[in-house]
């Protein structure tokens, strides 16, 4: 029966729709061009409509919020403000959905259920998540999407215009100030000369080609920027209830849409945690600190640079460096407090020296320097330990005092008042930051404790469910198998008229029952979580011939192609191959009685091939109804749980599995496993 394979078997990729497929089946590899076009369309769908959506959202939300705040004292604003929050949540959910469509792992937020009556309507204003959605959509979304849109559109039309310059460039007014003429004059160190339309068109074509080639990368970078902003501002925190069924990336806690959490793979469900409504609890996430620090830094550069250069009559380059240093310190403060302190104080000292010659103006701390210092204290206080905050406040105070000893154009009284005011403001904001940090840490610790408690509850429920299943298996299956074993073992004594072949058949049944009982005892010990479970050798691939021989004892016609030499495989691979053949043979005996079965095993240096193929069932030996001709797989699949277990075992090792009907109304199970 041993046969030699000439090459790897060519197996069809038949896969019945009734067989459950593992959700993590890897996609087929795409070519470089298909991936590029896919990313190009995906990025364009994200970036191009985003600006118009944000523009509409900004106009609507700013208008509604501006009307609700002044009119809140006459109760019109109190009614309009919840509507504003609902609209902001709608725009934020649209942004999350667009980000998920792009492929970002952002789950949906399940808000607190709205109560009845007036209290439920006004309770919306107590949800911090809705206020954060309003803040993001009104302050951050439009500038970010305006920037990405302003980069992508000119880049694309610049490429398109440059490559088509041959057609429309000749209709432009003629002059000698084309860019190519200036470049040629600079290269040859001559005056500007007319090089002709051909040279200009060639230059424009090359420039357009460069822009066109780099356009996919620029578009992808802008899409990444927008996704980073959405993730930072709109992604739900670990303490917010999310819907795993609606989130593309899934939620590791497996929250359901009704607020409950599927905390275990066994399906145990525990009550979900309430959504955190505190602004500071959500602010514990790093994303909002990045957004705020970058936003404030850009505003301070845009304001501080021209103010310092024009109002204080300072050097434009040095004023730019000072503004960039003060703003860069805010961005560094999110992750690097020590570097932020150094950069911030050095920039502040440079600004004090730069503006020392000013008379009648705010000095030594300018208005923009005070704002930068206040935000630096706030971010470090909320994000890091109080020791960093004390060091920053102490050094900034010393720097202010030392500045009074420097020669300056203003009077001492004004400078002293400026230093006292700055020190007082930084001390006050430091106290607020420390209190906020303690609040954040307390709420985060509380959320962590609740999460751990929910996980422990889920584990207890899972253990109870496993114990219940183990008890059912013990009471029903194990008892029945014991009866079968006893009856088969005592058959030769109870029925002395049995012939030798019948006695051997009963002995085979008794042996199979005892083996099943041993495996059942091990399974029950595992289900009950016992640490003293009996350890026994697991079947390996070399046990497949014995399995086939035992199957033949039941009267089945089984042909085996198995290598004569030992197979050096990993134990897990051998166990998987054995279980696959065992399940396939069991299915063949149950669903196709009387059909011939062929078991084939082959291996090489890298892969193991296992095939179990049975023919059409013998209708004269089967009392089962004839399967549906329109659905040949219907008679083979039944519940499909055995095939699902096959697939999970095979794909857990990185292999592949194909199951389905054959052209001659049979059924096949074809698996490929890694041999090493």
């Amino acid at each position: 029966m041993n046969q030699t394979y000439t090459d790897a078997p060519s197996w069809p990729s038949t896969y019945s729709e009734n067989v459950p497929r593992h959700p993590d089946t890897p996609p087929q590899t795409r070519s470089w061009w298909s991936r590029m076009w896919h990313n190009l369309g995906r990025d364009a769908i994200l970036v191009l409509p985003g600006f118009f959506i944000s523009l509409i959202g900004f106009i609507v939300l700013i208008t509604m919020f501006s009307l609700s705040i002044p009119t809140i004292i006459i109760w019109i604003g109190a009614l309009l403000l919840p509507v504003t929050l609902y609209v902001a949540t709608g725009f934020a959910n649209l942004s999350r959905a667009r980000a998920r469509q792009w492929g970002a792992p952002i789950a949906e937020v399940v808000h607190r259920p709205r109560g009845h009556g007036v209290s439920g309507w006004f309770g919306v204003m107590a949800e911090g998540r809705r206020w954060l959605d309003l803040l993001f959509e009104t302050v951050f979304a439009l500038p970010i999407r305006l920037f990405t849109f302003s980069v992508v559109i000119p880049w694309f039309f610049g490429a398109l215009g440059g490559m088509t310059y041959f057609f429309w460039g000749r209709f432009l007014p003629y002059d000698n100030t084309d860019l190519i003429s200036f470049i040629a004059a600079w290269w040859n160190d001559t005056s500007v000369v007319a090089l002709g339309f051909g040279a200009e068109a060639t230059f424009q074509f090359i420039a357009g080609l460069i822009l066109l080639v780099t356009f996919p990368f620029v578009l992808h970078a802008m899409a990444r920027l927008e996704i980073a902003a959405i993730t930072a501002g709109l992604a739900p925190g670990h303490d917010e209830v999310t819907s795993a069924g609606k989130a593309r990336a899934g939620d590791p806690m497996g929250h359901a849409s009704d607020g409950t959490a599927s905390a275990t793979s066994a399906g145990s469900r525990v009550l979900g945690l309430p959504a955190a409504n505190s602004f500071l609890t959500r602010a514990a996430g790093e994303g909002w600190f990045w957004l705020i620090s970058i936003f404030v830094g850009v505003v301070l550069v845009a304001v501080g640079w021209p103010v310092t250069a024009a109002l204080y009559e300072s050097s434009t380059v040095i004023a730019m460096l000072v503004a960039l240093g003060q703003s860069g310190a805010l961005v560094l403060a999110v992750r690097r407090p020590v570097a932020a302190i150094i950069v911030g104080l050095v920039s502040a000292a440079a600004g004090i020296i730069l503006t020392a010659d000013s008379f009648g103006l705010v000095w030594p701390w300018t208005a923009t320097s005070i704002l930068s210092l206040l935000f630096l204290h706030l971010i470090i206080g909320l994000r890091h330990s109080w020791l960093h905050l004390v060091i920053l406040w102490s050094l900034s105070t010393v720097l202010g005092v030392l500045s009074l000893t420097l020669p300056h154009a203003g009077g001492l009284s004004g400078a002293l008042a400026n230093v006292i005011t700055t020190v007082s403001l930084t001390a006050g904001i430091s106290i607020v930051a420390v209190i906020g940090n303690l609040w954040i840490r307390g709420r985060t610790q509380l959320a962590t404790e609740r999460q751990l408690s929910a996980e422990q509850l889920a584990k207890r429920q899972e253990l109870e469910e496993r114990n219940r299943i183990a008890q059912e298996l013990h009471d029903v299956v194990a008892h029945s198998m014991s009866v079968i074993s006893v009856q088969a073992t005592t058959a030769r004594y109870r029925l002395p008229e049995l012939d030798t072949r019948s006695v051997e058949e009963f002995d085979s049944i008794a042996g199979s029952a005892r083996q099943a009982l041993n495996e059942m005892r091990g399974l029950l010990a595992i289900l009950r979580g016992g640490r003293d479970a009996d350890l026994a050798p697991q079947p390996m691939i070399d046990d497949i011939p014995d399995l086939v021989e035992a199957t033949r004892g039941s009267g089945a016609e089984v042909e085996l192609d198995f290598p004569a030499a030992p197979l050096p495989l990993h134990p897990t691979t051998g166990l998987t191959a054995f279980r696959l053949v065992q399940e396939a043979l069991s299915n063949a005996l149950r669903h196709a009685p009387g059909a011939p079965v062929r078991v084939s095993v082959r291996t090489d240096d890298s892969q193991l091939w296992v095939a179990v193929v049975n023919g059409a069932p013998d209708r004269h030996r089967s009392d089962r109804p004839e399967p549906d001709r329109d659905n040949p797989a219907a008679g083979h699949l039944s519940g499909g749980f055995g095939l699902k277990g096959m697939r999970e075992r095979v794909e857990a090792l990185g292999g592949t599995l194909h199951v389905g009907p054959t052209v001659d109304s049979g059924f096949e199970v074809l698996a490929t496993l890694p041999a090493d």
Side-chain angles (χ1 to χ4, degrees), residues 441-474:
R441 292 178 183 273
R443 293 298 296 256
T444 303
Q445 185 177 3
L446 178 61
T448 303
E449 294 295 334
R450 288 179 176 177
Q451 181 178 353
L452 292 176
S453 177
E455 292 176 355
Q456 292 298 325
L457 177 60
K459 290 180 180 179
R460 288 198 301 270
Q461 291 181 344
E462 179 186 5
L463 185 59
E464 292 174 359
E465 183 69 13
R466 290 168 61 179
N467 286 333
R468 187 187 66 80
I469 296 174
Q471 188 64 38
E472 293 292 333
L473 289 175
H474 178 271

Side-chain angles (χ1 to χ4, degrees), residues 17-251:
E17 293 295 331
N18 294 332
V19 179
R21 179 184 289 273
H22 196 277
D24 295 329
T25 303
Q28 296 182 353
T29 304
R30 296 179 176 179
S31 64
W32 184 87
W33 280 103
S34 64
R35 291 199 306 270
M36 187 193 72
W37 282 109
H38 172 74
N39 291 334
L40 191 65
R42 182 185 63 166
D43 297 338
I45 293 175
L46 176 71
V47 173
L48 298 182
F51 167 70
F52 301 100
I53 295 174
S54 293
L55 182 61
I56 296 173
F58 178 80
I59 296 174
V60 172
L61 294 175
I62 286 295
T63 303
M64 296 179 66
F65 187 76
S66 301
L67 291 176
S68 60
I69 295 301
T71 58
I72 198 168
I73 57 176
I74 57 176
W75 291 99
I76 296 178
L79 299 176
L80 185 59
L81 190 56
V83 178
T84 305
L85 294 177
Y86 275 119
V87 175
T89 300
F91 278 102
N93 288 337
L94 179 60
S95 297
R96 296 187 189 97
R98 295 177 65 247
R100 280 193 300 273
Q101 184 68 26
W102 185 86
I106 300 178
E108 289 189 7
V109 177
V110 179
H111 295 278
R112 184 176 60 183
R114 177 186 166 187
H116 300 285
V118 178
S119 60
W121 178 259
F122 289 107
V124 176
M125 293 188 290
E127 293 190 57
R129 176 72 263 174
R130 296 187 185 275
W131 287 99
L132 289 174
D133 292 343
L134 176 63
L135 178 62
F136 180 85
E137 293 295 333
T138 54
V139 177
F140 297 100
L142 183 59
I144 293 172
R145 290 167 180 168
L146 176 61
F147 172 75
T148 57
F149 187 83
S150 301
V151 170
V152 169
I153 293 300
W155 203 286
F156 174 76
F157 283 102
L160 186 63
M163 297 190 66
T164 59
Y165 189 82
F166 275 105
F167 302 99
W168 58 270
R170 62 181 69 255
F171 300 104
L172 296 178
Y174 176 77
D175 55 29
N176 291 329
T177 58
D178 294 325
L179 179 61
I180 181 60
S181 301
F182 282 114
I183 294 177
W186 169 79
W187 183 266
N188 298 321
D189 195 19
T190 60
S191 58
V192 177
V193 295
L195 298 179
F197 177 76
E200 175 69 16
T202 303
F203 173 79
Q204 294 288 354
F205 179 82
I206 295 174
L209 182 61
I210 294 174
L211 292 177
L212 184 63
V213 171
T214 57
F215 175 74
F217 305 99
V218 174
L219 178 61
H220 189 66
M222 295 299 101
R224 287 279 186 181
L225 175 62
E226 184 170 339
I227 289 297
I230 294 175
T231 303
L234 297 181
H238 70 279
D239 53 351
E240 291 182 292
V241 178
T242 58
S243 174
K246 297 179 181 179
R248 172 167 299 186
D251 181 14

Side-chain angles (χ1 to χ4, degrees), residues 397 466 516 589:
T397 302
R466 290 168 61 179
L589 295 179

Side-chain angles (χ1 to χ4, degrees), residues 428-443:
I429 202 69
S430 298
I431 295 174
V432 173
V434 170
I435 296 175
N437 195 346
L438 294 176
W439 193 358
I440 291 173
R441 292 178 183 273
R443 293 298 296 256

